[in-house]
Amino acid sequence: MKGVVFLKKFKIIFVYILSLIAIVVLTIGIYMLIIAVQEKLFVSEEYLMWIFKYPASRLVFIYEIYLFAGFFYIFKKEFREMGTGAYSAKDNFLKKHRRQIIPIFITLNIALFYVIVSAVTVITNSKIIDYSFLSPQGREYNYNDVVSINTGVYGKKLYIPFTHSKGDFFYIIELKDGSKIDLTEVGGVKNEEHEVFIIEKLDSELVKMNVPKVSSMKNFKYSTEHLDKIYTDKIRNILENSQALGWKMLSRRAQCRRK
């Protein structure tokens, strides 16, 4: 008797573990599919890096919720029975309005997929192309359109799940129309180069152009907890790079030209 109970419990645990693994794998698969679609539709060959913009990028986790609900419904007998019992009730809302609800659900999910897929910004050597669900054709900016930079490292503050974590580096540029783009929300990088190397080069150019920059070393130590020194050194360079340094470099170049 005990052996039967043990086997039954083991089977339930085994099924739940397999379900969790399947959910994770399917979520990753959905994410990779979205990335592939974005690259195909929006990313040009001359890109340096492209951004999967926050917060739309986090909406992918809605599909994970769908998967959890689906697996729970399939494998949880009580939940399934509760659902079928509810459908048999005369006054059940879903049964009465399912012809309206199903098309609405499908339409909302098509819209959700569109919002997620179109949340892309492409960075090239000469321009920034910002896509969105309101602007699927993309808005082009040059680097003179960058009006400010805000960069640093997130600290111990509690963040909403799936947003930011302690030690995460951020580099947010604001464009002339008020749009803000965090260059660390990377979708892809050319030649598989780490994004901090590209951001360091872009930061150097923007500082030379005298773009106002706010940076803080306050939480830098947290980035060293999960990144190798080669990357944290680049982050330090970015955070310590200032307009004053940019002015010095420009003045030195001017002096050299005069000579």
Side-chain angles (χ1 to χ4, degrees):
M1 186 69 179
K2 289 183 179 180
V4 174
V5 173
F6 173 78
L7 287 173
K8 188 175 181 180
K9 288 183 177 180
F10 177 79
K11 182 181 177 181
I12 293 170
I13 293 170
F14 182 72
V15 168
Y16 280 163
I17 291 172
L18 282 181
S19 299
L20 288 173
I21 294 171
I23 288 168
V24 171
V25 171
L26 287 171
T27 303
I28 293 172
I30 292 169
Y31 183 82
M32 296 304 294
L33 173 64
I34 290 170
I35 293 292
V37 172
Q38 289 173 318
E39 287 185 331
K40 186 70 174 178
L41 292 178
F42 302 113
V43 181
S44 58
E45 291 184 2
E46 66 269 20
Y47 82 103
L48 294 175
M49 62 190 296
W50 64 274
I51 312 304
F52 189 2
K53 292 188 293 185
Y54 172 86
S57 58
R58 304 306 192 268
L59 295 177
V60 174
F61 289 101
I62 291 176
Y63 295 112
E64 189 169 17
I65 295 171
Y66 288 164
L67 291 170
F68 266 110
F71 274 88
F72 191 74
Y73 182 81
I74 291 169
F75 294 109
K76 190 68 175 176
K77 184 178 178 182
E78 295 83 357
F79 183 78
R80 187 167 63 252
E81 288 176 349
M82 180 183 70
T84 54
Y87 272 111
S88 63
K90 291 181 180 179
D91 59 342
N92 183 267
F93 180 83
L94 293 177
K95 183 178 179 180
K96 283 184 177 180
H97 302 282
R98 61 184 175 186
R99 288 186 178 180
Q100 293 81 21
I101 290 173
I102 291 174
I104 291 172
F105 179 78
I106 293 172
T107 302
L108 288 175
N109 277 277
I110 291 172
L112 172 66
F113 187 77
Y114 171 65
V115 168
I116 293 172
V117 167
S118 61
V120 172
T121 299
V122 179
I123 309 295
T124 74
N125 277 315
S126 58
K127 60 187 176 181
I128 300 166
I129 310 168
D130 188 38
Y131 299 92
S132 70
F133 70 98
L134 293 175
S135 183
Q137 76 282 0
R139 294 180 180 177
E140 289 193 7
Y141 306 85
N142 58 47
Y143 286 105
N144 290 321
D145 295 325
V146 179
V147 297
S148 69
I149 302 165
N150 182 24
T151 182
V153 176
Y154 291 107
K156 289 183 176 180
K157 178 182 174 182
L158 291 175
Y159 301 101
I160 299 171
F162 308 120
T163 56
H164 306 291
S165 302
K166 184 183 76 171
D168 285 351
F169 170 58
F170 63 88
Y171 189 94
I172 301 169
I173 59 172
E174 183 176 350
L175 301 170
K176 63 180 181 180
D177 60 1
S179 302
K180 293 183 179 181
I181 303 163
D182 187 349
L183 300 189
T184 63
E185 297 285 341
V186 178
V189 180
K190 196 165 190 176
N191 301 323
E192 302 300 323
E193 187 177 10
H194 197 282
E195 62 266 20
V196 294
F197 295 98
I198 296 175
I199 293 173
E200 183 188 29
K201 294 172 187 175
L202 291 173
D203 178 72
S204 178
E205 293 302 317
L206 291 171
V207 168
K208 289 175 188 176
M209 293 166 62
N210 300 314
V211 176
K213 178 180 177 181
V214 176
S215 63
S216 173
M217 287 288 293
K218 182 179 178 182
N219 299 311
F220 171 75
K221 61 182 179 181
Y222 298 127
S223 68
T224 62
E225 295 175 1
H226 64 278
L227 287 174
D228 291 337
K229 189 174 184 298
I230 187 173
Y231 305 121
T232 57
D233 283 349
K234 293 298 180 183
I235 292 173
R236 180 190 291 275
N237 291 343
I238 293 167
L239 298 181
E240 291 182 343
N241 187 27
S242 66
Q243 281 185 296
L245 181 59
W247 276 109
K248 287 179 182 178
M249 293 178 70
L250 286 172
S251 62
R252 285 176 186 172
R253 286 185 179 181
Q255 288 174 5
C256 290
R257 287 173 183 172
R258 288 171 188 170
K259 291 178 181 179

